[in-house]
């Protein structure tokens, strides 16, 4: 073969592949959804929860026959890639899933940081993407049209909590804020600072700790010295377990200790034992909520039931949010009557309905605006909802030793 | 008063750092081998402690000799079998070799144990001691005390025993040592093995304090480097001084500059020392 | 006197492509002091290193009494009873004098014997006893040579080989050392000494071998060698 023929053949092959690249056609009756996740590494507890949420949705949908769109029925297949808790790898994984594995849609990686970084990839390829675990407004301020999120902005976590605490203890003044030097935790900490300042509280300490810190002695020592009445600590589960333990080691206590995001998980309660008592937290969903909708689960109770049957434990907000991401995608495809990316994207943006997860309506930035995140406290080794009143299970206790 | 607490934190941490680093410093100072496997060996020690506790209920402090012994055997074999073949080669070659070996080993651990952070939570936690405004968790103090004990035992071994003398002799002049009848290859392997023993033992002690994961190996290795540069290579007193210095600097640094800068501070110091006093605070003639 | 002799027969040795010894014959009888003299690069040091096993003999035979040491390792040679005090002393500089001496006894397990020999060394060299806790690197040249010889003695050898005894030392010190070596020989040790300083060597030794470009060109008892015109012209600078 002459060199010219080789080049022509190569060009021809390339042209052919370009022609088929545009639409990752779900020709064989399967909708592929890419899901890059931290299945190993320090964020793996959260990554695995997201996977559980996606899996239970995919199973339930396929058991009911699949997704119906415009006369065709599609089964759902989730394509997982483990990026080992490394954000740059998360972005690469998202790109690979879209450009090589040819997924039709994408679920974002875990957390605001990675979701924001990977958002650019979805926008580039025009693939509708739902972030199940990204709450910071900074994730949605890039003007992306193809990125949607199932968590309301961070201030919806701090505002109700501040109201409750000050409602019961109006004299409380001293707040210490401690955050992991990462996108979501620092954004959340900023919101807390705003909520505190708004109500005239004194911020006696405001510090960040490095990602991967294994020893918080210095920070906790400073915490002790600042003598706070309310400790507000943000990070991911492993950080918070460690901080709580070192607080106990160094004899630091307060009237209120709030930790986000970790106490909602059974793993936090198991690892912390008696140290978890009276820790407060907020989250975007709680098994105690009660909603009814047209999604594949129908009601919150039904979702809880199916989840517990499959996994042997109650769901927390991460799994619910991940399942909700699937539910939202499904509702949009069915409303659009097609799997064409641009049309599905518009259908997501136009959604105004209720699901097992709560009311679903997205704002202009793509972030959900319709939820009312519950606040809860660990009492007797169980998370008890203290807000909103509609689903309240207990009153807030004060004093953490 | 808070300064006293910060100092106490620093000393407790520093004692652990000394134990983490002493094996690494010995191997580097005596064999002129920068053992990049060191961090992973420490992590292996932690896992051995974790499994001994969760499976047999053995307290990590008691597992120290077991963990040390297992890692000794492993590193001895590694040295005798592979690294000894390039021991006379320039430092860069052994560095590359240990780098490659570590990649293999660390990834093997990741596959076997997963990257998730495990925590060794004792059934009967030891609580905290409080005195004159300073509070210290007992598990840290105990671990630090044991770490210092081990380090001092190593010092005794090097100074007063036949094998210890041979190790130091080989470092100073391997040809002259050979003339004394010393089997240099065997001494190299024993030295490496001792480095491994200390790493495994340190990992065991650390298992109740820090989270356990193969991903931590680089953190431990980094600390070891800084301790060596701060305190001086190849000497136990150097490792102790370097470790305590690092612990105190990190503790105060985190307080004054903010905890997110503590690690940066440590490495900036490393650079400063390399420029200004490369032999470290205790650097000794004959141990460059 | 123990009655063991060192015999070196037709030994050839070298480094890589470079051959240094071209068939050397040499012997040291029990209780003798034998010297090896020759100019720089003649192969004196290589000869000692071949005997002590650091360098492999390519041809010929080395025997100490009944024991064949042709293919022996340094540990084997030491075990057979030959100690090599290397050129340039090669002490362990940052170790104490006493630890250096103890290193000489590395292969021995008889604690009582080691202690006795340590005492003996301190008797030969009282200065070493004075400085026993000092780092060996801080000693003067003469004291370092004493330490090196002492270290050799600590292995309980029957033959002590010393490479360049007088290197960098003042004549008085060399004389002192020679006297002590005579004492040591008197206590039952044979000595093979390689020397640049031909005068001192011929004074000290009973017999001598002259090495020139890897071969033995002359040998005999030192009195005869001292009067030999070739030796006088070539090495003693006399006509």
């Amino acid at each position: 073969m002459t060199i010219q023929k080789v080049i022509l053949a190569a060009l021809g092959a390339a042209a052919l592949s370009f022609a088929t690249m545009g639409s990752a056609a779900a020709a064989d009756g399967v909708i592929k959804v890419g899901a890059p996740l931290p299945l190993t590494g320090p964020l793996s507890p959260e990554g695995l929860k997201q996977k559980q949420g996606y899996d239970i949705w995919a199973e339930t949908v396929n058991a009911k026959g699949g997704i119906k769109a415009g006369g065709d029925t599609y089964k759902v297949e989730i394509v997982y890639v483990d990026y080992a808790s490394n954000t740059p790898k998360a972005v690469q994984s998202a790109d690979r899933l879209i450009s090589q594995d040819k997924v039709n849609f994408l679920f974002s990686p875990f957390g605001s940081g990675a979701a924001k970084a990977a958002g650019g990839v979805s926008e580039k390829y025009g693939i509708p993407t739902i972030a199940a675990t990204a709450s910071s407004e900074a994730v949605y301020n890039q003007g992306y049209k193809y990125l949607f999120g199932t968590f309301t902005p961070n201030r919806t976590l701090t505002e109700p909590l501040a109201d409750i605490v000050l409602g019961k203890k109006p004299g409380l003044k001293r707040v210490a804020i401690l955050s992991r030097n990462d996108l979501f935790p620092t954004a959340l900490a900023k919101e807390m600072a705003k909520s505190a300042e708004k109500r005239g509280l004194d911020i006696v300490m405001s510090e960040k700790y490095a990602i991967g810190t294994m020893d918080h002695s210095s920070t906790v020592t400073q915490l002790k010295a600042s003598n706070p009445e309310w400790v507000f600590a943000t990070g991911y589960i492993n950080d918070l377990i460690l901080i709580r333990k070192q607080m106990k080691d160094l004899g630091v206590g307060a009237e209120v200790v709030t930790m986000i995001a970790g106490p909602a998980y059974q793993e936090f309660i198991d690892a912390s034992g008696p140290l978890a008592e009276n820790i407060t937290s907020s989250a975007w969903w709680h098994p105690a909520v009660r909603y009814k909708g047209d999604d594949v689960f129908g009601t919150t109770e039904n979702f809880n039931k199916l989840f517990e049957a499959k996994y042997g434990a109650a769901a927390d907000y991460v799994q619910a949010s991940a399942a909700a991401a699937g539910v939202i995608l499904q509702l949009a495809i069915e409303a659009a009557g097609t799997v064409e990316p641009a049309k599905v994207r518009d259908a997501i943006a136009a959604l105004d309905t209720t699901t097992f997860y709560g009311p679903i309506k997205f704002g202009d930035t793509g972030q959900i605006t319709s939820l009312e995140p519950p606040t809860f406290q660990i009492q007797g080794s169980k998370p008890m909802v203290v807000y909103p009143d509609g689903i309240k299970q207990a009153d807030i206790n004060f004093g953490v030793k | 008063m808070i300064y006293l607490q910060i100092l106490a934190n620093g000393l407790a941490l520093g004692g652990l750092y000394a134990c983490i680093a002493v094996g690494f410093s010995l191997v580097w100072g005596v064999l002129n081998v920068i053992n990049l496997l060191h961090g992973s060996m420490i992590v292996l020690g932690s896992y051995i402690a974790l499994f001994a506790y969760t499976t047999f209920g053995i307290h990590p402090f008691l597992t120290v000799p077991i963990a040390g012994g297992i890692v000794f055997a492993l590193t001895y074999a590694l040295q005798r079998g592979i690294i000894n073949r390039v021991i006379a080669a320039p430092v860069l070659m052994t560095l590359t070799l240990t780098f490659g070996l570590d990649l293999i080993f660390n990834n093997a651990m990741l596959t076997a144990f997963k990257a998730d952070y495990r925590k060794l939570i004792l059934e009967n936690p030891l609580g905290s001691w409080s005195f004159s405004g300073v509070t210290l968790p007992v598990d840290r103090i105990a671990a630090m005390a044991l770490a210092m004990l081990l380090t001092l035992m190593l010092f005794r071994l090097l100074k007063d025993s036949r094998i210890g003398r041979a190790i130091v002799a080989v470092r100073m002049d391997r040809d002259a040592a050979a003339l004394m009848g010393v089997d240099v290859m065997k001494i190299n392997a024993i030295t490496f093995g001792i480095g491994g023993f200390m790493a495994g033992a340190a990992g065991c002690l650390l298992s109740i304090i820090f989270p356990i994961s193969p991903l931590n190996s680089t953190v431990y290795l980094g600390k070891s480097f800084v301790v060596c540069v701060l305190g001086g290579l190849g000497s136990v007193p150097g490792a102790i001084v370097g470790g305590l210095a690092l612990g105190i600097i990190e503790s105060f640094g985190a307080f004054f500059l903010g905890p997110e800068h503590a690690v940066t501070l440590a490495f900036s110091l490393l650079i400063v020392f390399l420029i200004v006093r490369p032999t470290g605070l205790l650097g000794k003639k004959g141990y460059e | 006197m123990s009655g063991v002799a060192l015999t070196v027969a037709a030994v050839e040795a070298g480094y890589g492509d470079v051959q240094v010894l071209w068939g050397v014959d040499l012997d040291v009888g029990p209780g003798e002091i034998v010297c090896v003299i020759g100019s720089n690069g003649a192969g004196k040091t290589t000869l000692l290193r071949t005997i002590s096993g650091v360098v492999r003999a390519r041809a010929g035979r080395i025997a100490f009494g009944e024991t064949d040491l042709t293919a022996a390792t340094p540990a084997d040679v030491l075990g057979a009873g030959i100690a090599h005090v290397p050129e340039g002393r090669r002490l362990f500089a940052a170790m104490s004098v006493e630890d250096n001496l103890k290193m000489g006894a590395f292969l021995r397990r008889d604690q009582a014997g080691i202690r006795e020999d340590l005492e003996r060394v301190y008797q030969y060299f009282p200065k070493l006893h004075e400085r026993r806790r000092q780092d060996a690197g801080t000693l003067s040249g003469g004291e370092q040579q004493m330490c090196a010889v002492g270290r050799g003695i600590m292995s309980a050898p029957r033959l002590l080989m010393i490479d360049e005894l007088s290197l960098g030392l003042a004549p008085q010190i060399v004389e002192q050392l020679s006297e002590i070596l005579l004492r040591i020989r008197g206590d039952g040790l044979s000595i093979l000494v390689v020397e640049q300083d031909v005068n001192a060597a011929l004074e000290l030794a009973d017999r001598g071998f002259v090495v020139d470009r890897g071969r033995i060109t002359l040998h005999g008892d030192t009195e005869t060698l001292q009067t030999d015109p070739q030796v006088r012209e070539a090495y003693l600078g006399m006509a």
Side-chain angles (χ1 to χ4, degrees):
Chain A
M1 254 231 230
T2 60
I3 202 71
Q4 284 107 316
K5 283 211 180 137
V6 174
I7 296 178
L8 271 175
L11 281 175
L16 205 62
S17 66
F18 269 114
T20 52
M21 194 166 94
S23 61
D28 35 354
V30 174
I31 293 178
K32 293 208 277 189
V33 188
L37 283 177
L39 296 173
T40 58
L43 296 175
S44 65
E46 285 91 345
L48 287 165
K49 286 174 193 292
Q50 251 177 283
K51 180 170 189 291
Q52 284 179 325
Y54 299 146
D55 283 343
I56 195 164
W57 167 68
E59 242 177 59
T60 312
V61 163
N62 288 337
K64 291 211 166 141
I67 303 183
K68 296 177 192 20
D72 293 317
T73 310
Y74 301 92
K75 291 277 183 180
V76 167
E77 184 195 317
I78 316 226
V79 184
Y80 291 107
V81 172
D82 175 14
Y83 62 82
S85 305
N86 178 305
T87 301
K89 257 171 110 177
V91 179
Q92 286 168 8
S93 303
D95 198 298
R96 188 191 109 185
L97 281 162
I98 296 175
S99 59
Q100 286 189 272
D101 297 299
K102 304 266 182 282
V103 297
N104 307 86
F105 305 101
L106 194 77
F107 289 142
S108 293
F110 171 82
S112 298
K116 177 171 180 160
V121 173
S122 312
E123 197 72 5
K124 177 170 102 179
Y125 290 106
I127 297 286
T129 300
I130 304 183
T133 49
S135 63
S136 309
E137 285 166 300
V139 177
Y140 306 98
N141 64 2
Q142 308 284 299
Y144 293 153
K145 294 254 155 277
Y146 281 83
L147 182 64
F148 296 91
T150 55
F151 281 173
T152 47
N154 291 328
R155 68 168 172 281
T156 60
L157 295 179
T158 58
E159 281 289 301
L161 180 62
D163 280 336
I164 299 173
V165 169
L166 289 170
K168 289 270 168 79
K169 284 236 174 212
L172 192 144
K173 272 247 161 270
R174 310 163 60 81
V175 179
I177 303 178
L178 185 54
S179 60
R180 172 181 159 118
N181 201 5
D182 203 343
L183 183 53
F184 162 62
T186 47
L188 186 58
K190 273 208 201 93
E191 286 304 325
M192 182 60 204
K194 278 194 219 155
S195 300
E197 275 156 4
K198 207 161 97 177
R199 290 166 178 76
L201 300 177
D202 290 326
I203 301 180
V204 295
M205 171 176 155
S206 178
E207 284 293 345
K208 297 190 201 145
Y209 58 91
I211 298 175
T213 304
M214 291 200 297
D215 178 71
H216 296 275
S217 311
S218 300
T219 322
V220 175
T221 302
Q222 267 185 281
L223 193 62
K224 187 169 180 180
S226 66
N227 200 19
E229 293 165 290
W230 187 357
V231 175
F232 188 87
T234 65
Y236 293 111
I237 184 175
N238 285 312
D239 307 305
L240 297 174
I241 293 174
L242 209 56
I243 291 174
R244 179 66 190 103
K245 174 176 184 296
Q246 293 198 264
M247 278 173 64
K248 179 78 179 160
D249 284 345
L250 290 168
V252 181
E255 286 289 355
V256 183
V257 175
T258 305
M259 297 194 144
I260 305 181
Y265 309 147
Q266 191 55 39
E267 290 85 345
F268 179 89
I269 299 173
D270 289 338
S272 305
L275 298 180
E277 195 66 10
N278 283 355
I279 304 275
T280 41
S281 190
S282 299
W284 293 272
W285 180 91
H286 190 280
V289 308
R290 292 286 175 266
Y291 292 108
K292 195 160 121 162
D294 295 323
D295 57 287
V296 76
F297 294 106
T299 61
T300 315
E301 286 131 307
N302 191 34
F303 171 76
N304 288 343
K305 194 175 91 195
L306 289 172
F307 190 93
E308 252 173 277
K310 181 171 164 73
Y311 293 111
D316 56 52
Y317 65 91
V318 176
Q319 293 118 332
S321 175
V327 153
I328 290 167
L329 183 64
Q330 176 177 14
L331 289 171
I333 294 173
E334 285 168 355
T338 166
V339 293
E340 231 195 273
K343 297 221 164 67
V344 172
R345 182 259 152 216
D346 290 338
I348 299 176
L351 276 178
D352 188 353
T353 180
T354 312
T355 64
F356 81 94
Y357 179 68
I360 308 286
K361 189 165 163 63
F362 296 99
D364 293 330
T365 61
Q367 189 166 17
I368 198 172
T369 52
S370 47
L371 292 180
E372 211 178 9
T375 302
F376 58 93
Q377 180 173 47
I378 300 183
Q379 297 175 355
S381 295
K382 275 190 179 0
M384 306 295 271
V385 178
V386 301
Y387 169 90
D389 285 332
I391 48 166
K392 184 165 130 172
Q393 294 171 315
D395 277 317
I396 188 170
N397 287 340
F398 288 93
V400 176
K401 289 177 226 355
Chain B
M1 253 318 108
I2 189 175
Y3 296 126
L4 212 59
Q5 174 75 54
I6 297 182
L7 180 67
N9 291 342
L11 286 173
L13 206 54
L16 289 168
Y17 285 164
C19 191
I20 288 175
V22 75
F24 181 74
S25 176
L26 190 70
V27 168
W28 189 353
V30 172
L31 294 182
N32 207 26
V33 171
I34 299 178
N35 178 20
L36 294 182
L37 280 153
H38 189 73
S40 296
M41 293 294 145
I42 295 177
V43 171
L44 181 62
S46 293
Y47 274 113
I48 294 173
L50 179 69
F51 291 131
Y53 187 69
T54 51
T55 317
F56 302 112
I58 308 176
H59 193 285
F61 289 167
L62 297 174
T63 317
V64 166
I66 303 173
I70 294 177
V71 181
F72 175 92
L74 197 67
T75 46
Y76 184 93
L78 214 67
Q79 217 284 352
R80 206 82 211 257
I82 304 177
I83 301 178
N84 238 347
R85 295 170 198 272
V86 297
I87 200 81
V91 137
L92 206 55
M93 176 144 342
T94 47
L95 190 83
T96 315
L97 180 61
T98 57
F99 178 73
L101 286 170
D102 183 54
L103 269 179
I104 297 173
F105 191 75
N106 200 270
N107 276 292
M109 282 205 291
L110 275 171
T111 311
F113 303 132
K114 298 286 180 296
D116 311 333
Y117 278 41
R118 315 279 199 101
K119 275 235 95 205
L120 205 170
I121 305 168
L122 292 174
E123 287 272 312
N124 300 305
L126 299 165
S128 296
W129 274 351
S130 263
F131 48 90
S132 43
V134 172
T135 312
L136 279 175
V138 176
D139 56 11
R140 268 190 202 229
I141 300 176
M144 188 256 196
L146 274 173
M148 293 308 299
L149 184 67
L150 273 172
T151 310
L152 289 169
M153 278 168 62
L154 178 66
F155 183 63
R156 237 7 268 296
L157 177 85
L158 287 178
K159 242 189 174 263
D160 288 338
S161 75
R162 188 174 154 265
I163 286 288
R165 263 195 298 275
I167 292 175
V168 175
V170 165
R171 167 59 182 127
M172 292 190 184
D173 191 335
R174 64 195 289 262
D175 290 335
L179 275 180
M180 309 282 114
V182 172
D183 182 346
V184 175
M185 286 290 157
K186 192 146 155 248
I187 289 292
N188 286 345
I190 291 178
T191 311
F192 213 78
I194 292 178
F197 182 96
M198 295 304 289
C204 220
L205 294 172
L206 295 170
S207 66
I208 53 171
I209 300 173
F210 293 141
I212 305 170
S213 164
L215 299 171
N216 283 343
S217 66
T218 37
V219 176
Y220 295 136
L221 190 63
K223 303 272 186 233
S224 301
F225 255 108
V226 179
V227 169
C228 280
V229 173
L230 282 184
L233 270 186
S235 80
V236 171
I240 295 178
V241 167
L244 291 175
L246 180 63
I248 295 173
I249 289 165
E250 272 190 0
S251 204
F252 279 98
F255 182 72
F256 289 117
L257 300 177
E260 72 263 38
H261 299 303
V263 176
T264 333
L265 176 67
F267 278 99
S268 311
L269 261 169
L270 178 128
I271 294 173
V272 166
F273 259 77
L274 281 172
I275 298 172
V276 165
R277 198 183 158 90
T279 47
L281 289 166
L282 283 196
K284 207 168 169 190
K285 201 170 64 166
Y287 289 106
E288 338 76 45
Chain C
M1 307 260 172
S2 43
V4 184
L6 169 76
T7 36
V8 174
V11 160
E12 298 183 30
Y15 303 99
D17 291 334
V18 181
Q19 182 149 351
V20 177
L21 301 176
W22 297 87
V24 168
D25 297 300
L26 177 145
D27 65 290
V28 180
E32 281 200 290
I33 300 184
V34 172
C35 69
V36 175
I37 56 179
S39 42
N40 264 332
K44 309 195 295 296
T45 298
T46 309
L47 176 59
L48 287 196
R49 297 178 88 204
T50 310
I51 297 172
S52 65
V54 176
V55 174
R56 256 311 171 79
R58 295 174 185 184
R61 196 168 168 270
I62 303 170
F64 192 49
E66 300 283 297
T67 321
D68 188 321
L69 294 178
T70 317
T73 63
D76 295 334
V77 172
L78 206 58
I82 302 179
H84 179 173
V85 178
E87 185 184 8
R89 268 77 83 170
R90 307 292 284 272
L91 292 176
F92 304 114
M95 269 171 129
S96 69
V97 166
E98 182 145 312
D99 280 344
N100 266 275
L101 295 175
K102 286 190 184 160
M103 267 314 287
F106 180 74
L107 285 182
R108 294 170 64 177
R109 299 302 193 151
D110 53 324
Q111 296 302 329
I114 295 176
R115 268 196 297 275
E116 262 180 50
D117 284 341
L118 196 59
E119 280 310 307
R120 209 153 61 89
V121 169
Y122 285 144
Q123 274 173 22
Y124 288 140
F125 305 110
K127 267 278 165 55
L128 289 186
H129 181 79
E130 250 178 69
R131 305 204 190 291
R132 66 188 182 283
R133 299 205 199 290
Q134 269 179 250
D135 281 358
T138 61
L139 298 178
S140 71
E143 288 161 351
Q144 285 193 16
Q145 187 62 286
M146 292 181 198
C147 189
V149 171
R151 191 174 64 173
I153 295 174
M154 284 304 294
S155 68
R158 290 176 290 180
L159 167 65
L160 188 67
M161 304 195 301
I162 307 176
D163 195 344
E164 298 296 356
L165 176 73
S166 68
L167 198 65
L169 298 181
Q172 316 97 280
I173 311 283
V174 178
E175 252 206 66
Q176 270 177 34
L177 282 169
S178 298
E179 273 165 43
I180 301 177
L181 287 179
L182 286 167
R183 260 182 73 193
I184 293 171
R185 183 268 292 268
D187 288 340
L189 219 52
S190 321
I191 302 178
L192 173 63
V193 58
V194 157
E195 249 314 325
Q196 265 281 76
D197 181 347
V198 178
N199 244 325
L202 294 178
E203 283 291 305
L204 170 65
D206 305 318
R207 287 192 299 124
F209 289 80
V210 179
V211 181
D212 184 15
R213 277 166 293 182
R215 281 170 235 268
I216 304 289
T217 51
L218 271 177
H219 65 97
D221 60 270
T222 48
E223 273 173 27
T224 317
L225 285 178
Q226 270 170 326
T227 55
D228 184 304
Q230 277 183 341
V231 172
R232 291 174 73 90
E233 194 180 322
Y235 303 107
L236 294 176
M238 306 168 186

